[in-house]
Amino acid sequence: ETGVTQSPTHLIKTRGQQVTLRCSSQSGHNTVSWYQQALGQGPQFIFQYYREEENGRGNFPPRFSGLQFPNYSSELNVNALELDDSALYLCASSGNRGPAEAFFGQGTRLTVV
Amino acid sequence: AQSVTQLDSQVPVFEEAPVELRCNYSSSVSVYLFWYVQYPNQGLQLLLKYLSGSTLVESINGFEAEFNKSQTSFHLRKPSVHISDTAEYFCAVSGGFGNEKLTFGTGTRLTIIP
């Protein structure tokens, strides 16, 4: 068990709706990264937050947004959901050693219908 | 820009046989290299990593990988596989501090045949 927890584990949304996914990082970690893993694909980097500021973004549209809180937990928000947003969303937390000590949560399976 | 190519999408192997999962990467800067394992309906677990130093790295469950800079490869090997090794394996690259996002390959599904 990594100490990174994500909620909810599964959810179903309708196209056009908005969704918020949550991630609690491992104790002592100040960086959170979010990834989207479509079925049969590798994870794709969405964005990263370091001490409450966005610190890098992948090739995702602005309707994907995030927050990091003072306790370093994080949210991923997706507006105007599309069918192609159906995926496993993974959160990873890391500390001062960067990706060398990144730990992933179990993921949130989002299905858009 | 960085990229990772996993040459085999599926690898079936008999139990107790050896296996190699291939990974090639492309990067314009020094890299960190990783192998992650994903069991069904679960997140990613770090299997092993290369940061610097010895080019041969090992995991606690018998896997090893060798960083080959000239061939830009980081192949994963195990001399004798077990049923419990059935999973999806992802190779990933990171540029290290200041470029910390992980770029993943498309994965290799390892199936162990009893």
Side-chain angles (χ1 to χ4, degrees):
Chain A
E1 186 141 335
T2 65
V4 179
T5 58
Q6 294 185 241
S7 63
T9 55
H10 298 80
L11 75 164
I12 301 174
K13 289 286 189 178
T14 302
R15 189 173 50 183
Q17 285 187 315
Q18 178 267 345
V19 69
T20 297
L21 311 182
R22 296 178 174 83
C23 172
S24 295
S25 58
Q26 182 152 314
S27 177
H29 284 181
N30 53 24
T31 301
V32 173
S33 303
W34 285 92
Y35 292 82
Q36 180 196 66
Q37 185 180 13
L39 198 61
Q41 300 295 317
Q44 298 287 319
F45 175 73
I46 303 175
F47 45 56
Q48 181 182 85
Y49 278 82
Y50 171 69
R51 294 187 177 182
E52 303 177 59
E53 297 286 333
E54 187 177 293
N55 181 40
R57 188 179 182 91
N59 188 28
F60 281 81
R63 59 189 185 84
F64 284 78
S65 63
L67 283 172
Q68 187 180 31
F69 300 100
N71 66 356
Y72 302 133
S73 65
S74 177
E75 287 182 354
L76 164 66
N77 299 290
V78 187
N79 294 322
L81 284 167
E82 301 177 358
L83 297 180
D84 285 348
D85 296 332
S86 295
L88 180 68
Y89 288 85
L90 296 164
C91 161
S93 77
S94 55
N96 293 330
R97 295 188 64 216
E101 61 169 7
F103 294 99
F104 282 81
Q106 297 290 81
T108 294
R109 173 74 63 187
L110 171 65
T111 302
V112 182
V113 297
Chain B
Q2 299 170 328
S3 67
V4 175
T5 301
Q6 291 185 245
L7 298 169
D8 306 297
S9 60
Q10 297 187 60
V11 174
V13 181
F14 285 103
E15 193 173 14
E16 299 184 3
V19 68
E20 179 179 80
L21 306 184
R22 296 180 291 170
C23 172
N24 288 89
Y25 70 92
S26 173
S27 176
S28 58
V29 298
S30 297
V31 298
Y32 293 168
L33 291 158
F34 306 83
W35 276 98
Y36 283 87
V37 59
Q38 187 174 40
Y39 299 101
N41 300 314
Q42 294 192 23
L44 298 171
Q45 297 177 28
L46 179 65
L47 191 58
L48 45 75
K49 59 190 176 188
Y50 170 78
L51 306 180
S52 63
S54 173
T55 57
L56 184 65
V57 291
E58 299 176 349
S59 71
I60 59 173
N61 56 354
F63 283 94
E64 64 178 29
E66 186 160 19
F67 170 55
N68 188 319
K69 188 174 182 179
S70 63
Q71 297 187 7
T72 61
S73 67
F74 191 55
H75 301 333
L76 181 70
R77 295 187 292 262
K78 189 171 185 180
S80 177
V81 296
H82 188 267
I83 286 287
S84 60
D85 294 324
T86 296
E88 189 90 19
Y89 291 80
F90 292 95
C91 181
V93 62
S94 165
F97 290 100
N99 184 13
E100 297 180 359
K101 73 171 188 178
L102 288 163
T103 299
F104 288 87
T106 51
T108 298
R109 180 171 298 279
L110 176 61
T111 302
I112 309 303
I113 305 165

